Amino acid sequence: MRILGIESSCDETAAAVVTTEGAVLSDVVASQIDEHAPYGGVVPELAARAHLRAVLPVVAQALAPLPRGLNDIDGIAVTNGPGLVGALIVGVQFARTLAFCTGLPLVGVNHLDGHLLAAHLRYEGARAPSYPYVALLVSGGHTALYRVDAYDEITILGQTRDDAAGEAFDKAAKVLGLGYPGGPVIDRLASHGDPAAVPFPVPMASKATLDFSFSGLKTAVARYVQAHGRPDDDKTLADVCASFQASVVQVLARKSVIACQRQGIDRLVLCGGVAANRGLRARTAELAARAGVELVVPPVRACTDNAAMIAYAGALRLAHGARDEDLSVYSRDPMARRRGKFRRDGTLVKRR
Ligand code: KG4
Ligand code: ZN
């Protein structure tokens, strides 16, 4: 089966065609970064308007390699949450209309499930993990550890109690005057800095919980800038970036490996935009190897927001008979109930 996937939950309009086996026949992403950069973050109304402009050409481009275009498609999958409601509505309404006109079956896909299954996409050189695996999902909107037993059997093991890791990267970059989005810039600068130069805290380092917290670290960077001013030489800037990144990476890498050990699973997958971070990849590889855990990191284009992961997650749902004719949208992950108090599996999170 060939599935058309559509993604519009945040600041990327994307469409892709993927087979049920994970082969990627097309994969188109239109980024809105330039649109939001002057504001230092994503502006929801601008995002929705930009999706409206991009959705038709992006879908047309994704269908272009198919000899018979839409006639070669067997089903449609669209992200219907979590994300920005106005942004989601554009993709969902487009997908619903397309399904109505063509008679093709339609399913909604949870954006997070897309990230968690992206490692199965058959990009050149990519190695798919076998089930079960532990996955660290780190993006601009989410930071959580999951146990993935099957495409539809996903359990949350721990999550951030405040900011997402990507949000911390972006906010730290903002106070350092590095522009938006800051993750890739900090990654680049950190590679020639000294991670021990500034003693930033390693937040929620305790092994007792698999939860995370990044808002304190963001404040620590802001305090550093208040006390010392913005670094005005390349060496200090690189050192501050390297020290900040080391704190984030250390806690993410350590808890991912601890999660594997607790679950008795020796496979770990990194996914989400922050999985592109070279420091995170390197440190996790080091700790995983030491613990005898196999690490799978999908190519960068499968880590950041894309529609191939949505098409793939949707293809599996469609193949198992799912149909969502009356599709609505949701802004928050329904499984992360009362964030910060309850885990995805419903167990109480003890406050420290
Ligand atoms: O998964 P994604 O594309 O979108 C969301 O679902 O949020 O992730 C975007 C986030 C941004 O916060 C961006 O700064 C961060 O991923 N990011 C990085 C890197 N590349 C992207 N953070 C650290 N290092 C990177 N190389
Ligand atoms: Zn995402």
Side-chain angles (χ1 to χ4, degrees), residues 3-9 12-16 51 55 59 75-82 87-99 105-114 306-315 317-318 324-330:
I3 305 303
L4 169 67
I6 299 174
E7 153 68 36
S8 71
S9 65
E12 257 103 25
T13 318
H51 285 305
V55 68
V59 169
I76 302 171
V78 63
T79 306
N80 67 323
L88 288 163
I89 284 174
V90 177
V92 167
Q93 187 53 25
F94 189 90
R96 282 181 61 160
T97 309
L98 208 53
L106 172 71
V107 283
V109 171
N110 179 309
H111 180 84
L112 306 180
D113 290 353
N306 66 86
M309 66 183 193
I310 303 302
Y312 178 71
R317 294 199 61 222
L318 281 162
D324 297 319
E325 264 137 42
D326 214 8
L327 203 54
S328 63
V329 302
Y330 51 92

Side-chain angles (χ1 to χ4, degrees), residues 104 159 197 235-236 313:
L104 286 169
Q159 63 192 315
K235 167 91 176 73
T236 314

Side-chain angles (χ1 to χ4, degrees), residues 11-179:
D11 60 348
E12 257 103 25
T13 318
V17 179
V18 168
T19 68
T20 319
E21 291 74 39
V24 183
L25 307 183
S26 68
D27 178 15
V28 183
V29 180
S31 171
Q32 306 173 2
I33 282 180
D34 294 344
E35 199 119 5
H36 303 289
Y39 305 94
V42 178
V43 183
E45 185 181 331
L46 289 183
R49 290 175 187 275
H51 285 305
L52 194 54
R53 282 195 299 277
V55 68
L56 186 51
V58 163
V59 169
Q61 202 183 326
L63 291 172
L66 305 183
R68 298 188 306 132
L70 257 185
N71 294 318
D72 285 331
I73 295 293
D74 303 297
I76 302 171
V78 63
T79 306
N80 67 323
L84 302 169
V85 167
L88 288 163
I89 284 174
V90 177
V92 167
Q93 187 53 25
F94 189 90
R96 282 181 61 160
T97 309
L98 208 53
F100 176 79
C101 295
T102 56
L104 286 169
L106 172 71
V107 283
V109 171
N110 179 309
H111 180 84
L112 306 180
D113 290 353
H115 277 302
L116 293 170
L117 299 173
H120 297 273
L121 291 169
R122 296 204 185 153
Y123 283 104
E124 214 181 295
R127 184 169 40 96
S130 44
Y131 296 108
Y133 54 87
V134 167
L136 172 70
L137 166 46
V138 265
S139 72
H142 305 274
T143 294
L145 275 162
Y146 298 85
R147 177 190 170 111
V148 184
D149 285 280
Y151 83 96
D152 60 346
E153 219 182 306
I154 296 172
T155 318
I156 196 163
L157 306 171
Q159 63 192 315
T160 182
R161 297 187 184 180
D162 41 57
D163 295 349
E167 204 177 340
F169 269 98
D170 294 339
K171 287 177 175 169
K174 199 171 175 179
V175 293
L176 291 168
L178 299 177

